[in-house]
Amino acid sequence: MSEKTGFGRRFYWVRVWVLFTVFLGVSGWALWDMKQRRDRNNWHRPLNVALVLLRMGDIPTSATDAVKVRAVALQDRLQNEFQKWHGGNESPFSFSVYGPLDVTRPPPSSQGEGFWQLATFAYEQWRYLSKIDRQVGVPYFGADSRIYLFVRPATGELQFVEGQSQEGGRVGIVEVQLSDSMVDFALFVATHELFHTLNATDKYDEYGRARMPDGFAEPDKIPVFPQSYIEVMARNRPLDAENEEPPQSLDELRVGAATAKEIGWIK
């Protein structure tokens, strides 16, 4: 065997070993991350939620400041719901608000359902959000879920917008209008996306209306209309069989039995 041939063989086995080591590392990280995500639904501790404010346009500072204040009220509201279904005095979430950071373009959107389109989208989204995390100081390993709230100037009536969320994943993205009077609405939508990352599913039909009974906060109420509260995975508060209105306050937010079961608050 020539020296050149021997070197080539050794180089071949070095490459195989490097690739195998990388494969083991990636596989190990994926298994660890999967376990960590599943463990969130055991509720042994409060989940650390990063709420990242991304400003797209001229938003009043008073509105973005109010998001930080009302995030505390949201944490308290969810604690009440957690105690109702799970018991105890613990809080299920600990919210940390980052930003606001001014951005000039929205996050990447998926261009198809094929493998390569989805892989490209995942990479572009990761690169885009990783840059934001570095700029505002979000600790990658310190957040159980990260919700990116892209806020635009208010131009009209409230409209619930379904965001992009990784069901059972760590990332939720939503774009909403924001003004001083729309802070609670924006946080309601952010909570909807947060619950998606914890395996909760939508509770409204193809027309956007709350489904009975899972999408009703008070399915046993007599008379059933108007509902007094809004199930977090529905969009609005049902007024009658045809009409609904969007959330006005975090006081309206409720977690129904079906959602509580999906996220592990009840068995």
Side-chain angles (χ1 to χ4, degrees):
M1 179 184 295
S2 68
E3 182 178 347
K4 182 176 181 181
T5 302
F7 176 79
R9 184 177 294 275
R10 288 195 297 272
F11 182 67
Y12 168 79
W13 285 111
V14 167
R15 285 190 302 165
V16 169
W17 175 249
V18 169
L19 291 173
F20 181 67
T21 303
V22 171
F23 172 77
L24 287 179
V26 171
S27 299
W29 179 87
L31 290 172
W32 174 86
D33 185 62
M34 186 181 302
K35 181 181 183 302
Q36 291 293 312
R37 286 186 280 122
R38 284 201 307 264
D39 286 348
R40 294 178 305 177
N41 294 86
N42 292 327
W43 303 99
H44 296 318
R45 61 174 176 81
L47 301 186
N48 295 312
V49 178
L51 182 61
V52 186
L53 277 173
L54 289 314
R55 191 164 46 195
M56 302 182 69
D58 187 15
I59 307 294
T61 302
S62 56
T64 54
D65 287 345
V67 170
K68 301 176 183 180
V69 174
R70 294 300 290 166
V72 177
L74 172 61
Q75 187 170 301
D76 292 341
R77 174 89 287 281
L78 291 172
Q79 181 175 356
N80 290 337
E81 292 300 290
F82 181 72
Q83 291 171 353
K84 178 176 71 178
W85 294 113
H86 194 271
N89 297 315
E90 299 86 359
S91 177
F93 299 106
S94 176
F95 287 94
S96 297
V97 181
Y98 296 86
L101 175 70
D102 290 309
V103 295
T104 57
R105 63 183 180 92
S109 58
S110 179
Q111 300 299 317
E113 297 297 324
F115 173 80
W116 288 113
Q117 290 92 336
L118 291 175
T120 300
F121 164 67
Y123 171 73
E124 291 296 332
Q125 184 185 80
W126 171 81
R127 189 171 68 169
Y128 179 86
L129 297 179
S130 294
K131 181 178 179 181
I132 287 174
D133 289 346
R134 291 193 299 270
Q135 289 177 295
V136 300
V138 177
Y140 184 82
F141 290 104
D144 294 291
S145 292
R146 306 191 308 279
I147 308 300
Y148 299 87
L149 193 60
F150 290 79
V151 294
R152 299 179 180 273
T155 58
E157 63 183 37
L158 295 175
Q159 183 178 2
F160 197 102
V161 179
E162 188 71 32
Q164 306 172 30
S165 295
Q166 301 170 347
E167 190 166 315
R170 294 187 184 274
V171 171
I173 298 174
V174 67
E175 295 184 39
V176 295
Q177 298 179 14
L178 185 68
S179 67
D180 291 334
S181 63
M182 299 170 68
V183 172
D184 279 18
F185 174 80
L187 285 172
F188 194 108
V189 178
T191 307
H192 180 96
E193 296 305 320
L194 168 62
F195 273 50
H196 272 313
T197 70
L198 298 171
N199 293 310
T201 59
D202 288 324
K203 305 295 188 298
Y204 54 82
D205 62 21
E206 64 270 25
Y207 304 106
R209 292 194 292 262
R211 293 200 315 265
M212 183 67 172
D214 293 348
F216 280 57
E218 308 165 288
D220 300 325
K221 181 175 179 285
I222 300 176
V224 69
F225 297 113
Q227 290 279 292
S228 303
Y229 306 106
I230 304 173
E231 213 286 333
V232 65
M233 298 311 295
R235 291 179 175 224
N236 302 306
R237 182 170 70 90
L239 302 176
D240 54 43
E242 298 294 332
N243 298 294
E244 300 184 350
E245 68 175 13
Q248 302 292 327
S249 169
L250 291 174
D251 294 336
E252 298 175 272
L253 189 153
R254 294 293 185 274
V255 178
T259 298
K261 186 173 184 178
E262 287 174 337
I263 65 175
W265 284 4
I266 55 177
K267 302 301 182 182

